[in-house]
Amino acid sequence: MEREVAETVVRATREEAELRARDDLDQLRRQAVEAGRERSRKIIKITNINTSTGGISYNPAGRLLRDWYLHVYINSVRANLGQPNEAIDAQQVQDTALLLERVRPGAEPLQATSAVDATRKIAVADAAAAVARIIERLADAGAVRAIRQAPDHRFDSDPLRVHVTRHWYQRSYDRTVEEAVNARHAPTAANDAEMVHVADALVTREARRLLGHDGALVLPAYSDGLRIEGPAADAAMKMFNHTTLLTTSQIAGQEDDLACLDRGGSRQEPAAWSLDAPAISDRGSDTRRIQ
Amino acid sequence: MIEADDKAASNEREFDTVPEHPIATTRQRTDESRAERNRAVDSLRASLSDQEILTEFGIDLSQIAG
């Protein structure tokens, strides 16, 4: 392989991976927002139904707090994904508490403030859970997309070039995701030296360690001593300090899940977005059913 | 060659700290925010029963996990 061709492959692979990662993040964020809407209806009721009398009454406090929950949830999801968002500050909490006091004049001011604060923190916790789900799903998606990017027959079926390209794709994809969640120890942006290193591997068909165990780049002066022997799939994995082989058999069964992202559909059931775990003990009991 | 090997070994030792994966980071954030949420719910419960919270404010705490 000519060096110019190798450098083009490396650059194009990185750009495709970064683009896909951003699209996938956006797609899952939209799904997470819908899950949040569903969740708001479940945890904050706006109608009281008295099962004894059959009477139904509207609860404006529930409407206000449901809107407040969604406002906090959506902006927290966006903040956790490094997307533009409106910061939830103390003034907003205070303003919402004042509104709540107006619609619930019987409630003590401290209780209204406490209800607003609790709703806010429920939303923040749910948003954090949603983002954790997104990141878990993208960890799988990145691997599948990497294999699709470099199928076994690519590069005249040269296994080292195929596997180095896959891991390079995965590294570029993961880096975009990590930067989005502001993960600590996130790798630095791809630089020219890194791309030259990967292009070298494609040209020479030799894998040399690119990353240390902490994800930091190995200095070029040291990498000559870090030539990796062994099967191509294994050598490429070690080159990028990854922990999972990227083989075709690995993606069996994951294609449907990925198709959901590709189509922009919502194959995932709301339950799959379960933003919470087992319920805490219900301390109250009443004949009223509330929706 | 020996020098190169030494450099390589030294380089390997230099990077013996395993980085925190984004999955671990986001799970940790989830745990921390849930703990904060539980404290806020406890604070609300200090003055109202779950049923009163539901009736007054519409918040159904039976749907909130601990």
Side-chain angles (χ1 to χ4, degrees):
Chain A
M1 180 184 285
E2 299 287 336
R3 167 157 291 281
E4 198 171 294
V5 173
E7 288 175 352
T8 301
V9 168
V10 170
R11 188 177 304 108
T13 300
R14 188 195 73 183
E15 289 171 358
E16 170 68 13
E18 291 173 349
L19 182 66
R20 279 293 186 178
R22 283 193 290 270
D23 285 350
D24 288 350
L25 270 169
D26 204 44
Q27 176 62 26
L28 288 176
R29 180 187 57 77
R30 284 198 291 268
Q31 289 184 24
V33 167
E34 286 310 307
R37 287 188 204 283
E38 187 74 23
R39 171 95 168 134
S40 73
R41 288 190 281 270
K42 189 175 173 186
I43 63 174
I44 304 178
K45 315 297 186 186
I46 60 172
T47 306
N48 292 350
I49 301 174
N50 189 317
T51 53
S52 303
T53 64
I56 298 174
S57 60
Y58 174 61
N59 184 351
R63 166 54 67 194
L64 176 68
L65 288 177
R66 188 184 283 181
D67 287 347
W68 170 241
Y69 169 94
L70 266 177
H71 173 67
V72 175
Y73 174 86
I74 290 170
N75 281 289
S76 297
V77 167
R78 296 185 73 94
N80 285 342
L81 292 175
Q83 297 180 333
N85 65 89
E86 182 179 334
I88 311 299
D89 57 21
Q91 187 62 52
Q92 289 188 36
V93 174
Q94 192 179 344
D95 291 347
T96 307
L98 285 172
L99 286 173
L100 189 58
E101 285 176 38
R102 284 184 202 159
V103 298
R104 275 291 172 201
E108 293 177 18
L110 192 61
Q111 291 173 344
T113 302
S114 188
V116 169
D117 183 56
T119 304
R120 174 193 186 182
K121 285 168 180 166
I122 291 167
V124 168
D126 288 350
V131 170
R133 298 278 313 198
I134 288 172
I135 301 308
E136 286 168 12
R137 288 193 62 197
L138 292 184
D140 294 335
V144 179
R145 290 205 185 284
I147 294 168
R148 275 189 182 176
Q149 176 74 12
D152 291 339
H153 58 78
R154 198 174 171 191
F155 306 120
D156 293 329
S157 302
D158 183 299
L160 188 78
R161 286 172 176 155
V162 165
H163 284 279
V164 165
T165 303
R166 286 175 182 174
H167 283 277
W168 171 240
Y169 183 101
Q170 188 182 30
R171 170 163 169 74
S172 303
Y173 186 99
D174 288 350
R175 177 170 37 220
T176 304
V177 173
E178 287 166 18
E179 286 170 354
V181 298
N182 302 314
R184 281 175 287 179
H185 307 295
T188 54
N191 56 35
D192 290 345
E194 188 176 347
M195 292 202 285
V196 167
H197 190 123
V198 179
D200 281 346
L202 295 182
V203 172
T204 63
R205 299 172 64 226
E206 287 183 354
R208 296 180 192 279
R209 186 170 285 282
L210 173 70
L211 301 170
H213 297 309
D214 63 348
L217 285 174
V218 172
L219 297 176
Y222 293 156
S223 66
D224 282 350
L226 294 172
R227 181 176 168 180
I228 305 166
E229 304 292 348
D234 192 53
M237 179 183 75
K238 289 176 179 170
M239 176 177 169
F240 289 88
N241 195 30
H242 287 158
T243 54
T244 309
L245 296 172
L246 294 180
T247 55
T248 308
S249 60
Q250 186 189 338
I251 63 172
Q254 295 186 44
E255 290 287 347
D256 287 349
D257 201 35
L258 198 60
C260 156
L261 285 173
D262 289 338
R263 286 194 304 268
S266 181
R267 177 178 165 273
Q268 290 259 311
E269 298 297 325
W273 278 97
S274 164
L275 301 178
D276 222 337
I280 47 177
S281 59
D282 184 0
R283 300 195 321 181
S285 62
D286 196 83
T287 55
R288 294 180 186 191
R289 189 159 50 86
I290 300 184
Q291 294 180 337
Chain B
M1 185 61 196
I2 292 173
E3 189 181 353
D5 287 346
D6 287 347
K7 278 183 180 176
S10 168
N11 200 48
E12 287 278 10
R13 283 193 299 274
E14 198 175 319
F15 300 121
D16 60 356
T17 307
V18 177
E20 193 166 359
H21 194 278
I23 289 178
T25 302
T26 52
R27 282 180 180 164
Q28 186 183 340
R29 285 179 189 165
T30 303
D31 291 343
E32 289 169 357
S33 58
R34 279 182 176 162
E36 202 167 335
R37 174 201 66 186
N38 291 345
R39 283 193 291 274
V41 168
D42 287 344
S43 175
L44 182 59
R45 279 173 158 173
S47 60
L48 294 168
S49 70
D50 282 14
Q51 188 56 50
E52 287 169 332
I53 293 167
L54 181 58
T55 307
E56 285 294 315
F57 301 116
I59 304 171
D60 186 354
L61 291 179
S62 69
Q63 300 295 328
I64 312 294

